[in-house]
Amino acid sequence: MQLDGLNKEQKLGVTTTEGPLLILAGAGSGKTRVLTYRTAYLIEEMGVKPYNIMAITFTNKAAKEMRERIDKLVGNEDGGVWVSTFHSACVRILRRFAERIGYGNNFTIYDSDDSKTLIKHILKDLQIDSKRFKEKMFMGEISSAKNELIGSLEYRNRFSNDYKLNVVGQVYQEYEARLRQNNAFDFDDLIMKTVELFKTVPEVLNLYQDRLHYIMVDEYQDTNNAQFQLIRLLAGRRQNLCVVGDDDQSIYKFRGANIYNILNFEKHFPDAKVIKLEQNYRSTQVILDAANGVIKNNVGRKAKKLWTEKSGGDKITFRQFESAYEEADYIAMDITSKCRDGLYSYMDDAILYRTNAQSRILEEKLMHLNIPYKIIGGVNFYSRMEIKDILSYLHVIENVQDEIAIRRIINVPKRGIGAASLEKVSTFARANGYSFYESLLKAKDIPTLGKAADKIKKFTDLIEELREDTKTNKRIALLIRNVYEMSGYAEALRLENTEESKARLENLEELYAKGVSYDEGTEEPTLTGFLEEVALVAQIDDLEESKDYVVLMTLHSAKGLEFPNVYMAGMEDGLFPGFMSMMAGDDSEDMEEERRLCYVGITRAKERLVMTAAKKRMLRGEIQYSSASRFIKEIPNNLLDNNSPSMYELGFAGRKEDTFSPKKPARSIATSYGSSGSSYQNSYSSTSSSIYGARKPSMASGSYGSGVQKKLPAYIVGDKVKHRKFGEGVVSDILDKGRDYEVTVLFDTAGPKKMFASFAKLEKI
């Protein structure tokens, strides 16, 4: 074989064929090339039959790409290389041998909706309160247990003294029993049951060990314990196991990935050889030096340092703005400028952020400048289920004739109002000439409804209360919050307590932030006006016809991708890294995972990297004051452009309010972009500073309409107070900011925080 196109380390990875091998492949180092060439080398040079080789990847897309590249090198032969995902491989094995562990070979594979439905039935049969214990909570706990190969009996024994987990154990045990009764596997079972098959039926394991002489695993840093045990069993006899991965890109702990599978590879396989691929073929040396500067601060890693033959490169741009609005303005205008000057096309640009909720402001700014974009790994902010649900509530409050909106939300969250009941209401409406909502109001007059009439009345009472509230309260933000709190929508997500539900809660809070922005930037805010503005923003042209668009995505979604021009937005302590990671400590596993996520973001950039931060940002419905991310400070100062602040200027905590100019327009931004920037500034100025006046109107003191006085806090400087998130602290300052009081609290664990009194809900203790 011709290996001239490979560097020294890549050649070594290809030709080291016997025994366990760990290839530490840094970002952009050509690992897929090594795997495909290694497969071809085994076939062409070592005389290994394709049938005796297995390559495992994590996604169908990656498996398809690898299979195609192998076919180009060695041709497509019958009984070829087994290239598969973990789950596809296990399905293939179980289809042959499921009967050996008590299942039929024609088993059904349950998706998440099937599993949720089954658990729902189990909760009903076991008389477990589904309002207190949500289906998705059980799904998450059971999935985590299966990823650790913990069966239901072991789970119950482990957690017999924990009330909540003991309930989970009961459901898990019944769930397993009914899956077997239904001859079904869920997604996690596919690996768990294959491991069980191999351990309990040795002749089946021997069959596959006889066949598979060489096994290769891609993205090894993302494997969980069940996947590790599966691979360990398959490779147990010959030990010809080659794993490729990068511990510095292990960012899926929340999905069950165990970084110690790769960190402890030599302990698991004492004869293992280790090869490092450190030459990068993607990015400039400046970008790689920045990535190296950040990731070296992690303790739990294998030492490596990326380098490239592309010396130099543009310095990294870092900009810190007064607000998230100015940050989004800058990014949108910078993209416009670079495209106008012919430096980049839209398709060259990517905006990366830590949480999905950050996309809302960025989307709006891109739309204002007519910049085509697409959300990758997510959906448009206003198309997300939870946002559409709350907007439907608002539509009903504004117009009770909107039957489509009513039908969407009447049982969201669940109120026990089913399709049959709605059909009875619809029949009554048609027979008597009423609108659908009028018929709901007359539910007691529909004899066929029975107990459903009481449930419908609770819904209409809620809508009527919210409608009445709009007559006195003109603050759209407060209305939004009342909707998702009074309806029980937010509480249902809190009880669900999964990563998905937490993200959805963040999105609700971002919609609230949109309401605050609208209130502060509009002379006479109205619900009609707000819904019109949202409708116009949400109208997005179909971008599938052209690939020339900017992509927006979370940092997790960006793994494996690359772009010439990358923007990393929201580089602030408390957002990235997140508050909980900061609370865990600088040397915690959580903080190290956040740092790896930053490393992944930096190494997506090929030519240019822009990192931005905001001093003030609304998070979880509160104004947060933030300093620049500690990850920015870990980048060597000589790599940042000359216009960036010095490292001593990056800290924001403790600076006096009078050093800000909240109402000052983004003059430098507009000037940088000439006439187009100036014209855009006019449309921006009405909302650019709205976030500075943001606050949650107090329910006790009524609305903040004309002539209504704000309520004095119930505490004074020196009082000890308690915050629901930051814990206990002492009030150090209270400033009158016109529409609200700004309170500074020195918290025992979280340090100094500034917040508006009506937002903070501080409790005097």
Side-chain angles (χ1 to χ4, degrees):
M1 279 189 65
Q2 296 295 317
L3 302 178
D4 296 342
L6 305 178
N7 64 39
K8 178 182 175 183
E9 288 73 23
Q10 288 175 331
K11 288 179 183 177
L12 195 58
V14 168
T15 57
T16 303
T17 60
E18 306 306 302
L21 173 65
L22 168 61
I23 300 178
L24 288 170
S29 61
K31 66 180 178 63
T32 305
R33 186 176 177 83
V34 171
L35 282 174
T36 53
Y37 269 76
R38 190 175 194 272
T39 304
Y41 184 84
L42 286 169
I43 297 169
E44 298 290 335
E45 298 295 326
M46 303 292 294
V48 179
K49 294 178 180 178
Y51 178 81
N52 297 130
I53 303 172
M54 182 183 204
I56 299 180
T57 68
F58 268 82
T59 67
N60 290 318
K61 180 182 177 182
K64 182 174 181 287
E65 179 187 348
M66 186 178 294
R67 190 179 297 109
E68 289 173 350
R69 292 173 71 165
I70 290 171
D71 288 345
K72 285 182 180 179
L73 288 173
V74 299
N76 188 6
E77 303 178 21
D78 291 335
V81 178
W82 189 359
V83 184
S84 175
T85 64
F86 276 100
H87 293 93
S88 295
C90 289
V91 169
R92 185 168 162 180
I93 293 167
L94 290 170
R95 286 293 181 204
R96 290 185 65 189
F97 298 107
E99 290 179 348
R100 305 295 293 273
I101 54 173
Y103 291 82
N105 293 345
N106 61 338
F107 57 82
T108 299
I109 301 173
Y110 277 5
D111 63 18
S112 58
D113 286 340
D114 296 325
S115 295
K116 185 177 180 180
T117 300
L118 179 55
I119 287 177
K120 182 179 178 181
H121 291 319
I122 291 171
L123 296 183
K124 183 178 180 181
D125 293 344
L126 296 181
Q127 297 184 328
I128 294 172
D129 186 357
S130 61
K131 292 183 179 178
R132 184 177 181 186
F133 299 104
K134 294 294 181 180
E135 293 96 337
K136 284 197 174 182
M137 184 274 290
F138 289 103
M139 292 171 69
E141 288 289 339
I142 293 171
S143 176
S144 296
K146 289 186 176 184
N147 287 338
E148 293 297 322
L149 298 177
I150 300 172
S152 60
L153 290 177
E154 182 182 351
Y155 188 97
R156 293 197 69 176
N157 290 334
R158 281 194 187 190
F159 303 113
S160 58
N161 295 324
D162 185 302
Y163 174 73
K164 175 184 172 183
L165 297 183
N166 187 47
V167 173
V168 173
Q170 294 177 47
V171 173
Y172 185 9
Q173 188 169 5
E174 183 63 21
Y175 178 70
E176 277 195 328
R178 296 201 190 186
L179 283 174
R180 185 178 291 272
Q181 179 183 329
N182 296 347
N183 192 34
F185 294 131
D186 65 20
F187 206 61
D188 297 309
D189 276 329
L190 297 176
I191 296 175
M192 185 179 186
K193 294 299 181 182
T194 303
V195 172
E196 179 186 327
L197 171 68
F198 286 164
K199 287 184 174 181
T200 57
V201 189
E203 57 266 35
V204 174
L205 176 60
N206 289 335
L207 179 72
Y208 284 97
Q209 286 181 340
D210 285 343
R211 173 184 169 176
L212 301 175
H213 298 185
Y214 295 89
I215 298 171
M216 293 175 283
V217 183
D218 193 13
E219 302 288 4
Y220 189 67
Q221 77 280 349
D222 294 334
T223 54
N224 59 35
N225 189 48
Q227 290 161 338
F228 166 73
Q229 294 295 342
L230 176 73
I231 292 302
R232 196 174 192 178
L233 287 166
L234 284 173
R237 185 185 302 173
R238 291 182 173 81
Q239 299 279 298
N240 290 333
L241 172 65
C242 170
V243 301
V244 182
D246 182 7
D247 52 299
D248 289 336
Q249 295 187 73
S250 178
I251 59 173
Y252 294 126
K253 181 181 177 182
F254 67 96
R255 294 182 187 169
N258 184 355
I259 191 174
Y260 293 102
N261 287 346
I262 191 168
L263 292 180
N264 295 335
F265 186 79
E266 297 99 312
K267 292 182 181 178
H268 299 142
F269 301 93
D271 298 329
K273 300 184 177 104
V274 179
I275 297 171
K276 296 180 182 180
L277 304 183
E278 297 173 293
Q279 184 175 356
N280 178 281
Y281 294 91
R282 175 188 299 156
S283 307
T284 66
Q285 191 61 54
V286 168
I287 291 170
L288 298 181
D289 287 345
N292 291 331
V294 171
I295 200 63
K296 73 178 183 181
N297 293 281
N298 271 7
V299 175
R301 67 184 292 260
K302 304 249 185 200
K304 68 185 83 66
K305 189 172 183 179
L306 295 178
W307 63 276
T308 181
E309 293 180 345
K310 305 176 189 176
S311 60
D314 291 342
K315 288 189 176 183
I316 292 162
T317 298
F318 173 70
R319 296 286 184 272
Q320 190 176 30
F321 299 94
E322 295 295 333
S323 74
Y325 293 92
E326 292 184 20
E327 176 193 47
D329 256 336
Y330 171 81
I331 292 173
M333 290 180 175
D334 193 62
I335 290 171
T336 297
S337 173
K338 295 297 182 288
C339 291
R340 184 187 61 211
D341 295 342
L343 298 176
Y344 294 107
S345 300
Y346 291 130
M347 69 174 67
D348 296 327
D349 302 320
I351 306 174
L352 312 181
Y353 37 78
R354 181 64 181 85
T355 67
N356 274 313
Q358 288 173 255
S359 77
R360 195 267 300 173
I361 296 174
L362 291 163
E363 287 182 65
E364 292 186 4
K365 298 303 182 184
L366 293 175
M367 288 179 201
H368 277 307
L369 289 185
N370 294 316
I371 297 172
Y373 74 90
K374 184 177 182 180
I375 303 280
I376 304 296
V379 295
N380 170 278
F381 179 80
Y382 292 107
S383 297
R384 291 169 185 156
M385 179 176 68
E386 59 275 13
I387 302 303
K388 289 179 73 71
D389 287 341
I390 301 306
L391 289 177
S392 291
Y393 271 101
L394 297 180
H395 279 292
V396 173
I397 293 167
E398 176 67 9
N399 172 24
V400 292
Q401 302 301 112
D402 189 343
E403 183 176 340
I404 299 299
I406 294 171
R407 285 182 175 273
R408 179 182 178 96
I409 56 149
I410 194 169
N411 202 40
V412 178
K414 292 179 181 178
R415 300 183 175 93
I417 304 172
S421 296
L422 295 182
E423 186 55 37
K424 292 172 184 176
V425 173
S426 187
T427 300
F428 179 82
R430 288 193 299 270
N432 294 278
Y434 295 134
S435 71
F436 189 73
Y437 186 74
E438 286 172 333
S439 296
L440 290 174
L441 290 173
K442 297 176 182 297
K444 292 284 188 180
D445 298 333
I446 306 175
T448 56
L449 278 177
K451 293 182 179 179
D454 292 330
K455 298 172 182 176
I456 289 173
K457 186 175 187 305
K458 288 183 180 179
F459 170 74
T460 55
D461 285 349
L462 169 67
I463 296 300
E464 290 300 303
E465 183 179 355
L466 291 168
R467 293 185 73 203
E468 189 66 27
D469 184 50
T470 60
K471 296 176 181 178
T472 54
N473 165 47
K474 301 302 181 184
R475 312 300 296 186
I476 302 304
L478 180 58
L479 177 60
I480 291 170
R481 175 160 281 173
N482 283 347
V483 165
Y484 64 67
E485 291 294 353
M486 292 169 62
S487 67
Y489 198 103
E491 184 61 21
L493 292 176
R494 293 187 193 106
L495 289 171
E496 191 175 301
N497 195 31
T498 63
E499 291 297 326
E500 180 186 351
S501 67
K502 290 174 186 175
R504 292 174 66 193
L505 278 168
E506 288 179 355
N507 289 334
L508 292 185
E509 289 157 357
E510 183 61 21
L511 182 63
Y512 171 80
K514 169 63 179 175
V516 171
S517 170
Y518 174 78
D519 287 339
E520 295 297 327
T522 308
E523 261 186 55
E524 295 183 11
T526 64
L527 180 54
T528 301
F530 175 78
L531 291 173
E532 284 179 0
E533 183 173 307
V534 167
L536 290 172
V537 169
Q539 294 301 313
I540 300 175
D541 295 332
D542 184 9
L543 301 177
E544 291 301 323
E545 296 177 5
S546 168
K547 291 186 178 180
D548 192 19
Y549 47 70
V550 177
V551 297
L552 285 76
M553 69 186 87
T554 64
L555 287 150
H556 282 101
S557 298
K559 187 169 175 287
L561 303 176
E562 58 184 49
F563 303 90
N565 188 31
V566 169
Y567 299 85
M568 291 176 65
M571 298 298 299
E572 303 134 31
D573 275 352
L575 181 58
F576 189 36
F579 176 78
M580 296 307 294
S581 297
M582 291 170 59
M583 292 292 290
D586 285 340
D587 57 350
S588 67
E589 289 186 6
D590 288 346
M591 181 62 77
E592 295 215 341
E593 175 133 344
E594 289 277 284
R595 188 174 282 111
R596 291 194 292 270
L597 193 56
C598 183
Y599 171 85
V600 166
I602 293 172
T603 54
R604 298 313 94 195
K606 296 169 69 175
E607 300 170 8
R608 182 172 182 262
L609 176 62
V610 178
M611 307 176 89
T612 59
K615 295 174 181 177
K616 290 183 177 181
R617 184 185 300 271
M618 185 173 286
L619 293 173
R620 294 169 290 277
E622 297 179 349
I623 292 292
Q624 300 290 333
Y625 295 75
S626 302
S627 60
S629 170
R630 62 198 59 202
F631 300 148
I632 295 290
K633 300 172 188 178
E634 291 173 355
I635 296 173
N637 198 36
N638 66 299
L639 301 178
L640 298 173
D641 71 16
N642 294 330
N643 294 320
S644 297
S646 70
M647 292 300 99
Y648 297 101
E649 294 173 323
L650 292 180
F652 178 74
R655 290 176 62 179
K656 294 182 179 179
E657 177 68 19
D658 61 10
T659 62
F660 298 117
S661 301
K663 301 295 181 183
K664 181 180 178 181
R667 181 165 54 85
S668 60
I669 297 174
T671 303
S672 299
Y673 290 89
S675 59
S676 62
S678 298
S679 63
Y680 181 62
Q681 184 184 338
N682 293 331
S683 65
Y684 165 73
S685 60
S686 64
T687 58
S688 62
S689 60
S690 63
I691 198 168
Y692 298 103
R695 72 272 178 265
K696 178 185 174 185
S698 169
M699 295 293 287
S701 59
S703 70
Y704 277 78
S706 176
V708 178
Q709 297 297 314
K710 61 182 176 289
K711 187 177 180 181
L712 282 167
Y715 40 81
I716 61 174
V717 173
D719 280 349
K720 194 159 187 178
V721 293
K722 184 177 182 181
H723 187 273
R724 66 181 186 275
K725 182 174 70 175
F726 300 128
E728 296 182 358
V730 176
V731 178
S732 63
D733 198 9
I734 301 176
L735 297 174
D736 188 340
K737 290 296 178 181
R739 297 198 180 199
D740 204 349
Y741 291 94
E742 181 189 83
V743 184
T744 302
V745 182
L746 297 175
F747 289 103
D748 297 343
T749 55
K753 300 287 180 184
K754 291 183 180 181
M755 57 197 75
F756 287 108
S758 54
F759 263 129
K761 289 187 176 179
L762 294 169
E763 178 187 346
K764 184 178 176 180
I765 56 176

